[in-house]
Amino acid sequence: MSETKSKDIQLVHVNAQSGSYDVMVGLDILSEVGPTARRTAGGNVAFVVSNTNVNPLYGEVVNRSLSDAGYTVATKVVGVGEAIKTMSVLSDVLECMADAQMTRDDLIVALGGGVVGDLAGFAASIYMRGCHVLQVPTSLLAMVDSSVGGKTAVDLVHGKNLAGTFFQPSAVIASIECLTTINRQLFTDSCGEVLKYGVMSDAELFRELERRPINEGNYDLERIGKIVKRCIEIKRDVVDTDEREKGLRQILNLGHTIGHAIEAESSYTLGHGSCVAAGMCFIVRACAKRQLCPDEVAQRVVSTVERYGLPTGSNISTDSLYERALADKKRHGDFINVVLVRDIGKVEVATLPVDDFRVLIEEGR
Ligand code: GLY
């Protein structure tokens, strides 16, 4: 269910088992952060976690909005990129929260992309056994995926997102004009996750993405806002049904097992969305070969991924991808859960013996 709150702000209501909240999508809505925090979380201290790219751009408007709403504002600025999503940075954030005399009634505002959101969300979930968090995603990937649904994490030496919690935010504010300050390469990378939503659940969304790439020419913010909202609705429908990834939520991992393997093999130099796009192409080609979906489906997915300027495969060896997949969270003993494509907008989760998954990787080349 979604509704219009006012002319400019679209609301998507998330009703997960452990908490309900609104995702607000609109243009120039960062000034809503303070009033939204007051309405949904309360408290006295707002602890903004941001990074060295985003804070200079949007820190001031967010801080002002929080002060105007009666908060004492403290800010922690972390570095940029996946490399900072560590236990040691998490520990530093927690100490700074204690320095700011935060209580469990207060809130963190996560202002940035997926890395900031995951880190700040994790900090909020464990500080004094849990305070509030307001997610303010500024990247496309964070808007359509990581800020919604309550997954929080840091990376371990052994892999990405291996320590984390499920912890739903008090609200999410996606202010679409923030996307204009993201470099085009990063925006393009995030399109991998956007395409995933179309392939996974919505043939009409996929047709719209196919019609004209959203990363081409000048950004059409109104169109992008509608697409962001649609992706959030799809994710909401999944999370409302299965918050803890016991069943349906696994479909969000379409392309991710091979994608994570490519990401790790590239030492995280290739972006997450690009790796998911490549992983999805492996899967859809293998599905067509196994006659699980028509050839035309594989052709449409691969050619659209290509039109967006994203990778459609990888020259990393099957053995290397397979070894990485064995370390994946989706492996259970000798079996691994894989999201298979049956049509555009239709997928299913299959449990395959790991040996068969190796064959699937080979078939997907
Ligand atoms: N990013 C996948 C999920 O939230 O479940």
Side-chain angles (χ1 to χ4, degrees), residues 261-282:
I262 297 171
E263 219 176 336
E265 281 291 308
S266 79
S267 304
Y268 298 96
T269 53
L270 203 55
H272 176 72
S274 303
C275 296
V276 166
M280 190 165 67
C281 289
F282 268 88

Side-chain angles (χ1 to χ4, degrees), residues 196-265:
K196 178 201 79 177
Y197 281 107
V199 177
M200 182 186 99
S201 288
D202 188 341
E204 196 183 316
L205 171 64
F206 189 79
R207 264 194 302 279
E208 171 59 19
L209 294 167
E210 231 177 356
R211 185 175 67 77
R212 187 161 54 86
I214 60 171
N215 60 343
E216 234 173 55
N218 290 336
Y219 295 161
D220 177 345
L221 292 183
E222 202 178 315
R223 177 173 178 243
I224 292 171
K226 284 185 188 150
I227 289 169
V228 165
K229 177 174 177 257
R230 182 65 199 126
C231 293
I232 294 168
E233 285 171 343
I234 294 170
K235 181 153 188 185
R236 178 275 314 275
D237 290 344
V238 172
V239 170
D240 280 4
T241 308
D242 173 27
E243 179 181 4
R244 298 230 153 204
E245 203 172 307
K246 298 288 181 216
L248 182 69
R249 189 164 181 165
Q250 295 176 65
I251 67 172
L252 294 171
N253 295 326
L254 170 61
H256 278 61
T257 303
I258 297 174
H260 281 157
I262 297 171
E263 219 176 336
E265 281 291 308

Side-chain angles (χ1 to χ4, degrees), residues 195 199 206 209-213 215-216 277 280-282 284-285 295-313 344:
L195 290 168
V199 177
F206 189 79
L209 294 167
E210 231 177 356
R211 185 175 67 77
R212 187 161 54 86
N215 60 343
E216 234 173 55
M280 190 165 67
C281 289
F282 268 88
V284 78
R285 277 189 296 254
D295 283 339
E296 188 227 339
V297 167
Q299 282 155 15
R300 277 179 71 195
V301 172
V302 172
S303 72
T304 307
V305 166
E306 201 163 25
R307 271 189 75 203
Y308 273 76
L310 291 163
T312 59
I344 303 282

